[in-house]
Amino acid sequence: MEEITDLCEEKCIHPNLVENTLHSMPDLDTLFALAELFKVFGDTTRVRIICALFENELCVCDIAEVLGMGQSAISHQLRLLRNAHLVRVRREGKSSFYSLDDDHVRLLFEQGLSHVKEENPHA
């Protein structure tokens, strides 16, 4: 069985492919912003919060109860999600209710979940 390596055995640049790729790539600032967005998804608590908000708008107390965590820990994660424009907040009296910011958040989550389940059907 032949071992697959991550290197080419010889250097052979394909100029037309390189040029086409360079023209289709977003600028570096956009790619940086995308990487920062994906970093937000890199925490299990934040992913659980996003999942909890799929069905209902929830207040911080509700989210804390669903996740079995304290409100201050949830509040910290919600601040990061809000700063990344993944959730939005609505004040009602003394309560703060959170929901997904838009359908893009749902789509990102669902696509990621679909990919994970494809790799691990028991997930």
Side-chain angles (χ1 to χ4, degrees):
M1 180 179 212
E2 184 178 328
E3 182 180 338
I4 298 175
T5 67
D6 294 328
L7 299 173
C8 292
E9 291 183 21
E10 65 181 6
K11 185 173 181 177
C12 177
I13 305 296
H14 302 89
N16 57 334
L17 296 176
V18 170
E19 188 68 25
N20 187 31
T21 301
L22 286 171
H23 284 295
S24 66
M25 288 181 65
D27 64 76
L28 199 52
D29 288 340
T30 301
L31 292 174
F32 178 79
L34 180 61
E36 290 300 309
L37 172 68
F38 283 129
K39 282 181 189 177
V40 176
F41 279 96
D43 178 85
T44 305
T45 299
R46 291 190 291 266
V47 170
R48 291 174 68 206
I49 291 170
I50 290 169
C51 188
L53 295 174
F54 259 47
E55 297 304 319
N56 299 298
E57 175 184 68
L58 298 170
C59 77
V60 177
C61 299
D62 295 333
I63 297 169
E65 183 67 22
V66 168
L67 272 61
M69 297 176 67
Q71 284 190 51
S72 61
I74 296 298
S75 177
H76 172 72
Q77 299 301 332
L78 285 167
R79 189 175 321 107
L80 294 171
L81 290 168
R82 196 175 64 246
N83 289 342
H85 306 286
L86 295 173
V87 300
R88 64 176 147 216
V89 64
R90 177 181 64 81
R91 293 286 296 172
E92 186 175 299
K94 294 182 179 183
S95 296
S96 295
F97 286 88
Y98 284 83
S99 61
L100 298 179
D101 191 64
D102 60 27
D103 287 336
H104 293 115
V105 179
R106 182 180 297 273
L107 182 61
L108 279 168
F109 185 93
E110 288 173 343
Q111 288 293 313
L113 187 59
S114 175
H115 182 72
V116 168
K117 286 185 173 184
E118 182 180 287
E119 297 293 320
N120 180 8
H122 302 293

